[in-house]
Amino acid sequence: MAGAKTGLLNFIVIGMLLTVVAASVVYHATPVIEEAEKVNKENAVAQFQRVIMLARAQWIKTKQQTVLIYETEFDASGNIRQHKDVAAELFVNRKGWPEGLKEGQGKACEYLYTLATLREADVSSEISVSDRYANGYLQCVFRIQDKIWFEYNAGSGVVREVNR
């Protein structure tokens, strides 16, 4: 009988210790996970801004209604290398800001987002993208779980991240 009580006491003590350790891990890991998600979101917005600026730079050089942006990377010496065999075509408005596609040709904002992040903005996932045209210029709104994440105005080229 004394052995059964000792075994039960050991089981309870070990269970309580495992519960405390697990709770501590969850408590300390949650901020790290949230910070990683925040950094990923900021990086996606920065990449979107980069695509906008690359297209704008190409438009300044060519003054064409459509521009090509190329896959770029830094080489070992820190120089920028463009891969001319990998390009994306973007429609640019008369002010020189990219609109992705001509009005009525498809989901322009989703196209820009896909170019920037190299992944599709799946409407069924937590990210939703909406296009609308105001004063003849594309207006993009990107949402995560129905909360505005960032916006793009092709009339001015402004990418504005909404702080939550």
Side-chain angles (χ1 to χ4, degrees):
M1 189 72 152
K5 286 184 180 179
T6 304
L8 181 61
L9 181 62
N10 286 341
F11 178 75
I12 292 173
V13 170
I14 290 171
M16 292 295 286
L17 284 173
L18 288 175
T19 303
V20 169
V21 169
S24 178
V25 167
V26 168
Y27 176 77
H28 292 291
T30 302
V32 172
I33 292 168
E34 288 173 358
E35 186 66 25
E37 287 176 2
K38 180 181 174 187
V39 169
N40 285 339
K41 290 176 189 175
E42 289 172 356
N43 185 45
V45 173
Q47 290 298 333
F48 186 89
Q49 177 79 39
R50 180 179 163 271
V51 165
I52 299 302
M53 297 314 291
L54 283 171
R56 172 74 172 180
Q58 287 293 72
W59 178 82
I60 289 171
K61 284 173 43 178
T62 65
K63 300 291 188 195
Q64 300 293 316
Q65 193 174 21
T66 58
V67 296
L68 294 175
I69 58 170
Y70 302 103
E71 182 179 317
T72 58
E73 68 181 3
F74 290 100
D75 63 15
S77 61
N79 297 319
I80 296 176
R81 297 185 58 146
Q82 289 186 335
H83 299 283
K84 300 280 184 173
D85 56 330
V86 180
E89 185 177 45
L90 290 169
F91 172 74
V92 180
N93 64 33
R94 59 189 161 94
K95 290 185 176 183
W97 295 108
E99 294 200 6
L101 304 168
K102 288 185 180 181
E103 188 173 355
Q105 285 191 332
K107 298 178 180 181
C109 296
E110 194 169 316
Y111 178 67
L112 289 169
Y113 181 81
T114 301
L115 288 176
T117 61
L118 300 178
R119 62 178 177 229
E120 290 200 28
D122 184 10
V123 177
S124 66
S125 73
E126 67 179 33
I127 298 173
S128 65
V129 182
S130 63
D131 299 18
R132 75 178 174 95
Y133 287 84
N135 300 323
Y137 296 105
L138 178 68
Q139 311 287 312
C140 300
V141 178
F142 300 86
R143 290 181 173 82
I144 295 180
Q145 297 173 346
D146 295 328
K147 293 181 183 174
I148 296 177
W149 172 24
F150 72 98
E151 301 170 320
Y152 169 61
N153 180 336
S156 63
V158 172
V159 176
R160 185 176 71 88
E161 189 169 4
V162 178
N163 295 325
R164 292 191 254 163

PDB file of all heavy atoms in Angstrom, residues 5 20 36 39-40 46 56 59 68 76 80 92-93 96 103 109 111 114 116 126 128 132 136 138 142 152 157:
ATOM      1  N   LYS A   5       1.068   4.469  -2.808  1.00  0.00           N
ATOM      2  CA  LYS A   5       0.959   5.890  -2.468  1.00  0.00           C
ATOM      3  C   LYS A   5       2.181   6.651  -2.962  1.00  0.00           C
ATOM      4  O   LYS A   5       2.055   7.766  -3.466  1.00  0.00           O
ATOM      5  CB  LYS A   5       0.801   6.055  -0.950  1.00  0.00           C
ATOM      6  CG  LYS A   5      -0.553   5.666  -0.444  1.00  0.00           C
ATOM      7  CD  LYS A   5      -0.654   5.940   1.035  1.00  0.00           C
ATOM      8  CE  LYS A   5      -2.019   5.554   1.551  1.00  0.00           C
ATOM      9  NZ  LYS A   5      -2.165   5.781   2.968  1.00  0.00           N
ATOM     10  N   VAL A  20       4.324  22.648 -15.448  1.00  0.00           N
ATOM     11  CA  VAL A  20       4.994  23.936 -15.205  1.00  0.00           C
ATOM     12  C   VAL A  20       6.033  24.209 -16.302  1.00  0.00           C
ATOM     13  O   VAL A  20       6.102  25.317 -16.839  1.00  0.00           O
ATOM     14  CB  VAL A  20       5.640  23.963 -13.805  1.00  0.00           C
ATOM     15  CG1 VAL A  20       6.557  25.168 -13.643  1.00  0.00           C
ATOM     16  CG2 VAL A  20       4.565  23.975 -12.740  1.00  0.00           C
ATOM     17  N   ALA A  36       8.606  37.023 -34.892  1.00  0.00           N
ATOM     18  CA  ALA A  36       8.948  36.466 -36.205  1.00  0.00           C
ATOM     19  C   ALA A  36       7.857  36.777 -37.226  1.00  0.00           C
ATOM     20  O   ALA A  36       8.156  37.135 -38.368  1.00  0.00           O
ATOM     21  CB  ALA A  36       9.165  34.953 -36.090  1.00  0.00           C
ATOM     22  N   VAL A  39       8.183  40.445 -38.219  1.00  0.00           N
ATOM     23  CA  VAL A  39       9.307  40.643 -39.139  1.00  0.00           C
ATOM     24  C   VAL A  39       8.956  40.149 -40.538  1.00  0.00           C
ATOM     25  O   VAL A  39       9.269  40.806 -41.538  1.00  0.00           O
ATOM     26  CB  VAL A  39      10.582  39.944 -38.601  1.00  0.00           C
ATOM     27  CG1 VAL A  39      11.674  39.890 -39.643  1.00  0.00           C
ATOM     28  CG2 VAL A  39      11.082  40.655 -37.356  1.00  0.00           C
ATOM     29  N   ASN A  40       8.286  39.011 -40.641  1.00  0.00           N
ATOM     30  CA  ASN A  40       7.860  38.497 -41.954  1.00  0.00           C
ATOM     31  C   ASN A  40       6.905  39.461 -42.643  1.00  0.00           C
ATOM     32  O   ASN A  40       7.004  39.682 -43.856  1.00  0.00           O
ATOM     33  CB  ASN A  40       7.201  37.124 -41.810  1.00  0.00           C
ATOM     34  CG  ASN A  40       8.214  36.030 -41.565  1.00  0.00           C
ATOM     35  OD1 ASN A  40       9.387  36.171 -41.873  1.00  0.00           O
ATOM     36  ND2 ASN A  40       7.757  34.933 -41.002  1.00  0.00           N
ATOM     37  N   ALA A  46       8.212  45.563 -47.370  1.00  0.00           N
ATOM     38  CA  ALA A  46       9.449  46.114 -47.948  1.00  0.00           C
ATOM     39  C   ALA A  46       9.705  45.556 -49.342  1.00  0.00           C
ATOM     40  O   ALA A  46      10.135  46.294 -50.244  1.00  0.00           O
ATOM     41  CB  ALA A  46      10.633  45.820 -47.028  1.00  0.00           C
ATOM     42  N   ARG A  56       9.254  51.805 -61.115  1.00  0.00           N
ATOM     43  CA  ARG A  56       9.334  53.261 -61.288  1.00  0.00           C
ATOM     44  C   ARG A  56      10.668  53.648 -61.923  1.00  0.00           C
ATOM     45  O   ARG A  56      10.718  54.487 -62.835  1.00  0.00           O
ATOM     46  CB  ARG A  56       9.160  53.942 -59.932  1.00  0.00           C
ATOM     47  CG  ARG A  56       9.395  55.421 -59.903  1.00  0.00           C
ATOM     48  CD  ARG A  56       8.283  56.179 -60.529  1.00  0.00           C
ATOM     49  NE  ARG A  56       8.502  57.607 -60.278  1.00  0.00           N
ATOM     50  CZ  ARG A  56       7.718  58.538 -60.691  1.00  0.00           C
ATOM     51  NH1 ARG A  56       6.631  58.235 -61.354  1.00  0.00           N
ATOM     52  NH2 ARG A  56       7.979  59.791 -60.436  1.00  0.00           N
ATOM     53  N   TRP A  59      10.577  52.856 -65.542  1.00  0.00           N
ATOM     54  CA  TRP A  59       9.746  53.816 -66.253  1.00  0.00           C
ATOM     55  C   TRP A  59      10.504  55.124 -66.471  1.00  0.00           C
ATOM     56  O   TRP A  59      10.419  55.731 -67.538  1.00  0.00           O
ATOM     57  CB  TRP A  59       8.452  54.082 -65.489  1.00  0.00           C
ATOM     58  CG  TRP A  59       7.589  55.109 -66.171  1.00  0.00           C
ATOM     59  CD1 TRP A  59       6.729  54.896 -67.209  1.00  0.00           C
ATOM     60  CD2 TRP A  59       7.520  56.501 -65.880  1.00  0.00           C
ATOM     61  NE1 TRP A  59       6.135  56.075 -67.581  1.00  0.00           N
ATOM     62  CE2 TRP A  59       6.600  57.077 -66.783  1.00  0.00           C
ATOM     63  CE3 TRP A  59       8.150  57.324 -64.947  1.00  0.00           C
ATOM     64  CZ2 TRP A  59       6.289  58.430 -66.766  1.00  0.00           C
ATOM     65  CZ3 TRP A  59       7.837  58.670 -64.934  1.00  0.00           C
ATOM     66  CH2 TRP A  59       6.923  59.215 -65.836  1.00  0.00           C
ATOM     67  N   LEU A  68       9.716  46.214 -67.860  1.00  0.00           N
ATOM     68  CA  LEU A  68      10.155  44.908 -67.397  1.00  0.00           C
ATOM     69  C   LEU A  68      11.000  45.094 -66.151  1.00  0.00           C
ATOM     70  O   LEU A  68      11.885  45.954 -66.122  1.00  0.00           O
ATOM     71  CB  LEU A  68      10.984  44.201 -68.467  1.00  0.00           C
ATOM     72  CG  LEU A  68      10.256  43.815 -69.749  1.00  0.00           C
ATOM     73  CD1 LEU A  68      11.246  43.234 -70.752  1.00  0.00           C
ATOM     74  CD2 LEU A  68       9.143  42.824 -69.467  1.00  0.00           C
ATOM     75  N   ALA A  76      28.941  38.323 -54.623  1.00  0.00           N
ATOM     76  CA  ALA A  76      29.860  38.259 -53.482  1.00  0.00           C
ATOM     77  C   ALA A  76      30.556  39.587 -53.218  1.00  0.00           C
ATOM     78  O   ALA A  76      30.895  39.907 -52.077  1.00  0.00           O
ATOM     79  CB  ALA A  76      30.889  37.157 -53.710  1.00  0.00           C
ATOM     80  N   ILE A  80      25.100  44.622 -57.710  1.00  0.00           N
ATOM     81  CA  ILE A  80      23.782  44.125 -58.067  1.00  0.00           C
ATOM     82  C   ILE A  80      23.860  43.429 -59.416  1.00  0.00           C
ATOM     83  O   ILE A  80      24.429  43.957 -60.365  1.00  0.00           O
ATOM     84  CB  ILE A  80      22.757  45.278 -58.139  1.00  0.00           C
ATOM     85  CG1 ILE A  80      22.583  45.911 -56.767  1.00  0.00           C
ATOM     86  CG2 ILE A  80      21.424  44.777 -58.669  1.00  0.00           C
ATOM     87  CD1 ILE A  80      21.680  47.116 -56.761  1.00  0.00           C
ATOM     88  N   VAL A  92       2.384  50.543 -66.315  1.00  0.00           N
ATOM     89  CA  VAL A  92       2.708  51.728 -65.527  1.00  0.00           C
ATOM     90  C   VAL A  92       1.752  52.841 -65.954  1.00  0.00           C
ATOM     91  O   VAL A  92       1.508  53.040 -67.150  1.00  0.00           O
ATOM     92  CB  VAL A  92       4.176  52.154 -65.757  1.00  0.00           C
ATOM     93  CG1 VAL A  92       4.525  53.382 -64.937  1.00  0.00           C
ATOM     94  CG2 VAL A  92       5.113  51.008 -65.409  1.00  0.00           C
ATOM     95  N   ASN A  93       1.207  53.569 -65.000  1.00  0.00           N
ATOM     96  CA  ASN A  93       0.264  54.643 -65.334  1.00  0.00           C
ATOM     97  C   ASN A  93       1.001  55.877 -65.863  1.00  0.00           C
ATOM     98  O   ASN A  93       2.235  55.900 -65.917  1.00  0.00           O
ATOM     99  CB  ASN A  93      -0.646  54.975 -64.143  1.00  0.00           C
ATOM    100  CG  ASN A  93       0.105  55.517 -62.941  1.00  0.00           C
ATOM    101  OD1 ASN A  93       1.111  56.202 -63.057  1.00  0.00           O
ATOM    102  ND2 ASN A  93      -0.407  55.196 -61.760  1.00  0.00           N
ATOM    103  N   GLY A  96       3.830  57.277 -63.923  1.00  0.00           N
ATOM    104  CA  GLY A  96       5.012  56.441 -63.775  1.00  0.00           C
ATOM    105  C   GLY A  96       4.990  55.456 -62.631  1.00  0.00           C
ATOM    106  O   GLY A  96       6.004  54.847 -62.316  1.00  0.00           O
ATOM    107  N   GLU A 103      -6.366  48.321 -66.309  1.00  0.00           N
ATOM    108  CA  GLU A 103      -7.675  48.239 -65.668  1.00  0.00           C
ATOM    109  C   GLU A 103      -8.574  47.266 -66.424  1.00  0.00           C
ATOM    110  O   GLU A 103      -8.659  47.302 -67.643  1.00  0.00           O
ATOM    111  CB  GLU A 103      -8.326  49.620 -65.622  1.00  0.00           C
ATOM    112  CG  GLU A 103      -9.587  49.653 -64.811  1.00  0.00           C
ATOM    113  CD  GLU A 103     -10.144  51.056 -64.623  1.00  0.00           C
ATOM    114  OE1 GLU A 103      -9.511  52.034 -65.047  1.00  0.00           O
ATOM    115  OE2 GLU A 103     -11.244  51.151 -64.062  1.00  0.00           O
ATOM    116  N   CYS A 109      -3.610  44.130 -58.051  1.00  0.00           N
ATOM    117  CA  CYS A 109      -2.948  44.191 -56.748  1.00  0.00           C
ATOM    118  C   CYS A 109      -2.382  42.828 -56.360  1.00  0.00           C
ATOM    119  O   CYS A 109      -1.272  42.728 -55.831  1.00  0.00           O
ATOM    120  CB  CYS A 109      -3.913  44.690 -55.680  1.00  0.00           C
ATOM    121  SG  CYS A 109      -4.465  46.383 -55.943  1.00  0.00           S
ATOM    122  N   TYR A 111      -1.425  40.568 -58.448  1.00  0.00           N
ATOM    123  CA  TYR A 111      -0.274  40.377 -59.326  1.00  0.00           C
ATOM    124  C   TYR A 111       0.965  41.065 -58.746  1.00  0.00           C
ATOM    125  O   TYR A 111       2.040  40.465 -58.683  1.00  0.00           O
ATOM    126  CB  TYR A 111      -0.608  40.915 -60.717  1.00  0.00           C
ATOM    127  CG  TYR A 111       0.524  40.832 -61.716  1.00  0.00           C
ATOM    128  CD1 TYR A 111       0.992  39.610 -62.166  1.00  0.00           C
ATOM    129  CD2 TYR A 111       1.114  41.986 -62.229  1.00  0.00           C
ATOM    130  CE1 TYR A 111       2.024  39.528 -63.095  1.00  0.00           C
ATOM    131  CE2 TYR A 111       2.138  41.918 -63.152  1.00  0.00           C
ATOM    132  CZ  TYR A 111       2.587  40.693 -63.579  1.00  0.00           C
ATOM    133  OH  TYR A 111       3.609  40.618 -64.491  1.00  0.00           O
ATOM    134  N   THR A 114       2.158  39.145 -55.686  1.00  0.00           N
ATOM    135  CA  THR A 114       2.809  37.897 -56.075  1.00  0.00           C
ATOM    136  C   THR A 114       4.233  38.155 -56.558  1.00  0.00           C
ATOM    137  O   THR A 114       5.154  37.412 -56.219  1.00  0.00           O
ATOM    138  CB  THR A 114       1.986  37.182 -57.160  1.00  0.00           C
ATOM    139  OG1 THR A 114       0.687  36.915 -56.641  1.00  0.00           O
ATOM    140  CG2 THR A 114       2.625  35.875 -57.579  1.00  0.00           C
ATOM    141  N   ALA A 116       6.148  40.601 -55.651  1.00  0.00           N
ATOM    142  CA  ALA A 116       6.955  41.048 -54.517  1.00  0.00           C
ATOM    143  C   ALA A 116       7.333  39.917 -53.585  1.00  0.00           C
ATOM    144  O   ALA A 116       8.452  39.848 -53.094  1.00  0.00           O
ATOM    145  CB  ALA A 116       6.207  42.130 -53.742  1.00  0.00           C
ATOM    146  N   GLU A 126      -5.364  33.691 -44.924  1.00  0.00           N
ATOM    147  CA  GLU A 126      -5.572  34.835 -44.045  1.00  0.00           C
ATOM    148  C   GLU A 126      -5.335  36.173 -44.744  1.00  0.00           C
ATOM    149  O   GLU A 126      -5.740  37.207 -44.244  1.00  0.00           O
ATOM    150  CB  GLU A 126      -4.691  34.706 -42.802  1.00  0.00           C
ATOM    151  CG  GLU A 126      -3.209  34.816 -43.067  1.00  0.00           C
ATOM    152  CD  GLU A 126      -2.374  34.704 -41.811  1.00  0.00           C
ATOM    153  OE1 GLU A 126      -2.776  33.979 -40.899  1.00  0.00           O
ATOM    154  OE2 GLU A 126      -1.325  35.350 -41.763  1.00  0.00           O
ATOM    155  N   SER A 128      -6.091  38.792 -47.751  1.00  0.00           N
ATOM    156  CA  SER A 128      -7.022  39.124 -48.825  1.00  0.00           C
ATOM    157  C   SER A 128      -6.577  40.432 -49.464  1.00  0.00           C
ATOM    158  O   SER A 128      -6.020  41.305 -48.805  1.00  0.00           O
ATOM    159  CB  SER A 128      -8.458  39.212 -48.312  1.00  0.00           C
ATOM    160  OG  SER A 128      -8.585  40.275 -47.396  1.00  0.00           O
ATOM    161  N   ARG A 132      -9.339  48.517 -56.422  1.00  0.00           N
ATOM    162  CA  ARG A 132     -10.367  49.451 -56.852  1.00  0.00           C
ATOM    163  C   ARG A 132      -9.653  50.607 -57.531  1.00  0.00           C
ATOM    164  O   ARG A 132      -8.467  50.832 -57.321  1.00  0.00           O
ATOM    165  CB  ARG A 132     -11.279  49.895 -55.718  1.00  0.00           C
ATOM    166  CG  ARG A 132     -10.683  50.888 -54.764  1.00  0.00           C
ATOM    167  CD  ARG A 132     -11.711  51.286 -53.696  1.00  0.00           C
ATOM    168  NE  ARG A 132     -11.059  52.123 -52.723  1.00  0.00           N
ATOM    169  CZ  ARG A 132     -11.071  53.446 -52.759  1.00  0.00           C
ATOM    170  NH1 ARG A 132     -11.742  54.093 -53.665  1.00  0.00           N
ATOM    171  NH2 ARG A 132     -10.420  54.145 -51.848  1.00  0.00           N
ATOM    172  N   GLY A 136      -9.101  57.242 -61.551  1.00  0.00           N
ATOM    173  CA  GLY A 136      -8.358  56.637 -62.644  1.00  0.00           C
ATOM    174  C   GLY A 136      -7.096  55.902 -62.242  1.00  0.00           C
ATOM    175  O   GLY A 136      -6.367  55.405 -63.101  1.00  0.00           O
ATOM    176  N   LEU A 138      -5.129  52.935 -59.625  1.00  0.00           N
ATOM    177  CA  LEU A 138      -5.314  51.730 -58.819  1.00  0.00           C
ATOM    178  C   LEU A 138      -5.093  52.035 -57.344  1.00  0.00           C
ATOM    179  O   LEU A 138      -4.140  52.726 -56.973  1.00  0.00           O
ATOM    180  CB  LEU A 138      -4.322  50.650 -59.277  1.00  0.00           C
ATOM    181  CG  LEU A 138      -4.327  49.334 -58.512  1.00  0.00           C
ATOM    182  CD1 LEU A 138      -5.628  48.580 -58.756  1.00  0.00           C
ATOM    183  CD2 LEU A 138      -3.139  48.480 -58.924  1.00  0.00           C
ATOM    184  N   PHE A 142      -4.510  45.572 -48.699  1.00  0.00           N
ATOM    185  CA  PHE A 142      -4.111  44.222 -48.307  1.00  0.00           C
ATOM    186  C   PHE A 142      -4.536  44.028 -46.857  1.00  0.00           C
ATOM    187  O   PHE A 142      -4.205  44.834 -45.989  1.00  0.00           O
ATOM    188  CB  PHE A 142      -2.596  44.060 -48.451  1.00  0.00           C
ATOM    189  CG  PHE A 142      -2.119  44.269 -49.857  1.00  0.00           C
ATOM    190  CD1 PHE A 142      -1.832  45.546 -50.322  1.00  0.00           C
ATOM    191  CD2 PHE A 142      -1.971  43.199 -50.725  1.00  0.00           C
ATOM    192  CE1 PHE A 142      -1.407  45.742 -51.629  1.00  0.00           C
ATOM    193  CE2 PHE A 142      -1.543  43.392 -52.025  1.00  0.00           C
ATOM    194  CZ  PHE A 142      -1.270  44.673 -52.481  1.00  0.00           C
ATOM    195  N   TYR A 152      -1.618  50.475 -51.024  1.00  0.00           N
ATOM    196  CA  TYR A 152      -0.803  51.036 -52.102  1.00  0.00           C
ATOM    197  C   TYR A 152      -1.685  51.935 -52.948  1.00  0.00           C
ATOM    198  O   TYR A 152      -2.778  51.546 -53.351  1.00  0.00           O
ATOM    199  CB  TYR A 152      -0.195  49.930 -52.969  1.00  0.00           C
ATOM    200  CG  TYR A 152       0.439  50.444 -54.238  1.00  0.00           C
ATOM    201  CD1 TYR A 152       1.510  51.331 -54.197  1.00  0.00           C
ATOM    202  CD2 TYR A 152      -0.039  50.052 -55.485  1.00  0.00           C
ATOM    203  CE1 TYR A 152       2.087  51.811 -55.367  1.00  0.00           C
ATOM    204  CE2 TYR A 152       0.542  50.519 -56.652  1.00  0.00           C
ATOM    205  CZ  TYR A 152       1.609  51.402 -56.581  1.00  0.00           C
ATOM    206  OH  TYR A 152       2.178  51.879 -57.739  1.00  0.00           O
ATOM    207  N   GLY A 157       2.167  56.502 -55.666  1.00  0.00           N
ATOM    208  CA  GLY A 157       3.246  55.551 -55.417  1.00  0.00           C
ATOM    209  C   GLY A 157       3.464  55.235 -53.951  1.00  0.00           C
ATOM    210  O   GLY A 157       4.423  54.567 -53.583  1.00  0.00           O
TER     211      GLY A 157
END
